[in-house]
Amino acid sequence: MLNPSTAERLALPGLAGAVAPTRAAAEYWQTTLSGAPGLLELPTDHARPARQDHAGATVGVALDEELSARLEALSRRHGATPYMTLLAGWAVVLSRLSGQEDVVIGTPAGGGGRAETGGPAGFAANTLAIRVDLSGAPTVAELLERVKERVLGARRHQDVPFEQVVELLQTARGPSHHPLFQVTFAWRNVPGSRLALPGLALGPPDTAGSGGSSSPVSAKFDLSLAFWEDDGRIVGEVEYATSLFEHATVERYAGYLRRVLEEMAADDAKPVSRLDLLDAAERRMMVEDWNATDAGYPAGACVHDLFRAQAGRTPEAVALSWRGERLTYAQLEARANRIANLLRRRGVGPEVRVGICLPRTTELVAAMLGVLKAGGAYVPLDPAYPRERLGYMREDAGITLVITESALADRLPEDAPALLLLDVERDAIAAESGDAPESGVLPENLSHVIFTSGSTGRPKGVMIRHSSVVVLLHWLRENVTDEERSSALFSTSINFDVSVAEIFGTLAWGGKLVIAENALELATLGEEVVHVSMVPSAAAELLRSGGIPASVKTLNLGGEALPNALAQGLYALESVEKVGNLYGPTEDTTY
């Protein structure tokens, strides 16, 4: 119920006299819209701008005479108007696109304006927020009943202006989108003769095809659908915000609406969740073409097998470079094999988790390969992490042995398991065989365990199998060129999954891995690097300081949002050919 302070704040007309009707209308909107979603999360082509610019365009929608007649018949059977039926179909499309079962659609209080003028004149007077509930798997008939009830209820209580409804609900407002609803629907058909003005010939917009307006229009909302009758057909248009949608996307949405309306007219007992949006071609593309994931790769191979094969092909090629030190593929293979043979003597085999707590040198990569060759799974332990976190990771992962060096041993918890100190046991490692041991490890065994950051709670160890990494490496072989992997920067911590692609995506296919303490060292490495991965903030600093060498052609940026200005600044460098966004949509993802 409205309390006196609410009524006073709204300053609703009539409260001093005919209080009941206005109070009932206000209470209706408060009850009906309470808890409604504030934003309809439609999939857009562009990120929502911080402020609406209202630039728009239109796409025509035309239903043939047969479908128009069937929709008229469907409406009559359920005591609904064509407006209600079309609104229900629009709600189904919006719900399916957004994944939301609670959809709010704006509509003019008077039903719409004149078809000849094309503008929803009714929006200027008052707008009603129609909340459509699609939960509980309703049939078409049940949804029509729900929509009819909501429309009739809204019309009975339309005396409260929209702005006062927003105030009543205390809806949060912002410059990026319209409050309560961002999508509208209008039925523009107005009975009577055509509008005639002296010296002017007026008619409805041309919607014979699926095209749209080539001249810019003002888009008040994200999407605005309007229909009207024209010579026995239902025709209309979708006005859309060009800051959010591309023309082809809205044409596709209009096609979804046609198919939903066809299925509604064909079977009103069908659950709306089973109404098809996709035509045969789009269904084939999404279900078959996009899921054609079969790829040829050695199903029986493990990660280290790929490196071993590459070492056999290019034994004298440089595999690792670090501060002037270089290891060839043959040298790295032998070094990793000796570590693996010693680990085998220490009980390492399939499913045994081995911690690696080492600085970023060639020994780090050799130790990782050594654990894999011994059949174990490596677990990164960053020396910079607090002791308590390292202790938790050791316990949670079930680590039985840690590879480290004497200078870092005191960073580990007091109850640390057995240690393999590479500097102390250098001679013992050198005495081992340079041939690969037989470990019995299989593709379904673990290759490594990587812990999450723990930013949303306790860190969690993610267990990765060899087979998963091998699939990734074969994908990288097809999507990273030989030139790019010819010299790739290794600057990512092995505590993050990107390091797997950096290290093994390079070494499995014959590239050179250039080791750096962090990405900012790129400016002073003194070594040609073609392919780099880093966070955008590091790239921005290198760009600002002129620290990106002319050898760099590809930058993969992730971990943070990538501003378009940074991407364009990188492309302005003469050498840069490709900038990859590994993070996700930002304010502009067109690079």
Side-chain angles (χ1 to χ4, degrees):
M1 297 291 290
L2 288 178
N3 57 45
S5 62
T6 302
E8 183 178 340
R9 186 178 73 250
L10 289 175
L12 293 174
L15 282 182
V19 175
T22 302
R23 183 181 296 276
E27 289 176 349
Y28 169 84
W29 291 113
Q30 187 175 42
T31 301
T32 302
L33 297 177
S34 178
L39 182 65
L40 186 64
E41 299 281 2
L42 294 173
T44 60
D45 297 299
H46 310 289
R48 183 177 296 278
R51 182 176 296 275
Q52 287 179 281
D53 61 11
H54 300 293
T58 60
V59 166
V61 189
L63 309 183
D64 60 36
E65 291 185 12
E66 179 185 358
L67 177 57
S68 298
R70 289 165 60 204
L71 290 172
E72 291 272 4
L74 174 66
S75 302
R76 286 194 299 271
R77 286 199 306 273
H78 294 280
T81 63
Y83 161 82
M84 296 172 183
T85 301
L86 295 167
L87 175 61
W90 187 223
V92 170
V93 173
L94 298 175
S95 173
R96 296 281 286 278
L97 288 173
S98 66
Q100 298 172 220
E101 294 184 326
D102 193 357
V103 176
V104 182
I105 302 172
T107 191
R114 282 191 171 272
E116 298 95 324
T117 60
F123 282 107
N126 193 20
T127 309
L128 307 179
I130 308 296
R131 185 176 185 180
V132 182
D133 175 18
L134 294 102
S135 64
T139 63
V140 171
E142 290 168 342
L143 178 62
L144 283 174
E145 190 62 32
R146 292 182 187 182
V147 170
K148 180 172 67 173
E149 180 183 351
R150 282 297 168 88
V151 169
L152 294 177
R155 292 288 165 80
R156 286 195 299 269
H157 301 93
Q158 63 181 336
D159 60 316
V160 180
F162 175 75
E163 288 297 326
Q164 291 186 346
V165 172
V166 173
E167 173 66 17
L168 173 67
L169 296 169
Q170 300 184 34
T171 302
R173 308 191 69 159
S176 66
H177 59 82
H178 191 271
L180 287 183
F181 56 82
Q182 297 78 47
V183 176
T184 66
F185 174 74
W187 177 256
R188 292 184 185 165
N189 216 33
V190 178
S193 59
R194 291 289 180 108
L195 179 65
L197 296 175
L200 293 177
L202 301 179
D206 180 14
T207 56
S210 61
S213 171
S214 58
S215 59
V217 300
S218 177
K220 305 175 185 66
F221 307 96
D222 294 358
L223 294 172
S224 296
L225 172 65
F227 273 121
W228 57 90
E229 288 182 332
D230 183 33
D231 293 331
R233 297 185 309 154
I234 296 175
V235 298
E237 63 182 8
V238 183
E239 181 184 275
Y240 63 94
T242 54
S243 61
L244 297 176
F245 301 99
E246 293 292 334
H247 189 87
T249 298
V250 181
E251 282 190 320
R252 191 170 72 252
Y253 290 177
Y256 295 162
L257 178 60
R258 284 192 204 93
R259 281 183 286 282
V260 163
L261 292 174
E262 287 170 356
E263 296 214 350
M264 288 174 61
D267 185 1
D268 58 8
K270 192 172 187 178
V272 295
S273 60
R274 297 184 61 188
L275 299 175
D276 279 335
L277 266 67
L278 308 180
D279 61 17
E282 191 170 3
R283 177 173 293 280
R284 183 169 57 252
M285 177 181 68
M286 296 181 68
V287 175
E288 298 178 16
D289 297 347
W290 288 357
N291 284 290
T293 56
D294 291 344
Y297 70 95
C302 293
V303 176
H304 53 280
D305 294 329
L306 300 182
F307 173 76
R308 181 182 182 183
Q310 183 61 46
R313 291 191 294 267
T314 58
E316 300 306 316
V318 175
L320 296 180
S321 173
W322 175 70
R323 298 185 180 180
E325 177 187 353
R326 282 175 167 77
L327 286 184
T328 66
Y329 272 81
Q331 290 170 330
L332 180 56
E333 168 73 3
R335 176 67 175 166
N337 286 341
R338 291 188 171 92
I339 294 174
N341 280 306
L342 184 59
L343 290 173
R344 291 288 293 160
R345 296 181 188 278
R346 301 286 177 89
V348 175
E351 301 301 312
V352 173
R353 291 80 185 269
V354 178
I356 295 182
C357 184
L358 289 169
R360 300 176 65 80
T361 69
T362 57
E363 291 287 357
L364 173 62
V365 180
M368 295 170 69
L369 279 168
V371 172
L372 297 177
K373 285 172 171 287
Y378 72 84
V379 184
L381 299 174
D382 193 325
Y385 282 172
R387 267 184 156 195
E388 293 76 11
R389 174 161 177 163
L390 293 176
Y392 165 75
M393 294 168 66
R394 178 201 66 76
E395 181 179 356
D396 190 60
I399 295 172
T400 60
L401 183 146
V402 176
I403 302 176
T404 186
E405 57 186 27
S406 52
L408 295 174
D410 61 352
R411 295 290 303 142
L412 299 170
E414 295 180 358
D415 61 344
L419 302 181
L420 172 57
L421 303 176
L422 294 184
D423 53 340
V424 173
E425 303 201 44
R426 190 175 304 277
D427 292 341
I429 294 171
E432 293 289 343
S433 169
D435 296 330
E438 292 294 334
S439 66
V441 66
L442 298 172
E444 55 264 30
N445 291 130
L446 293 181
S447 62
H448 61 289
V449 177
I450 286 188
F451 277 79
T452 61
S453 65
S455 57
T456 59
R458 297 195 77 181
K460 300 174 182 62
V462 181
M463 301 186 292
I464 313 296
R465 294 184 176 91
H466 278 271
S467 57
S468 299
V469 182
V470 169
V471 170
L472 168 67
L473 299 184
H474 278 80
W475 181 86
L476 288 169
R477 182 177 65 174
E478 301 298 325
N479 290 275
V480 176
T481 67
D482 289 340
E483 181 184 19
E484 287 174 326
R485 71 170 61 90
S486 66
S487 184
L489 185 69
F490 169 38
S491 62
T492 303
S493 167
I494 64 170
N495 293 272
F496 299 104
D497 55 0
V498 175
S499 65
V500 176
E502 279 187 353
I503 299 170
F504 302 113
T506 302
L507 296 179
W509 312 119
K512 178 179 67 174
L513 201 62
V514 180
I515 303 173
E517 188 63 31
N518 57 64
L520 295 179
E521 281 194 0
L522 180 64
T524 58
L525 280 176
E527 178 102 35
E528 282 198 354
V529 174
V530 177
H531 185 97
V532 301
S533 299
M534 63 183 71
V535 294
S537 54
E541 175 57 24
L542 288 169
L543 180 64
R544 185 198 63 78
S545 63
I548 299 178
S551 62
V552 173
K553 294 188 176 182
T554 300
L555 297 99
N556 282 337
L557 306 181
E560 303 167 354
L562 172 57
N564 180 58
L566 174 58
Q568 300 306 326
L570 293 170
Y571 273 127
L573 299 177
E574 188 174 338
S575 63
V576 173
E577 299 176 354
K578 187 190 303 180
V579 177
N581 180 8
L582 307 185
Y583 184 76
T586 60
E587 71 270 16
D588 190 336
T589 56
T590 304
Y591 305 133

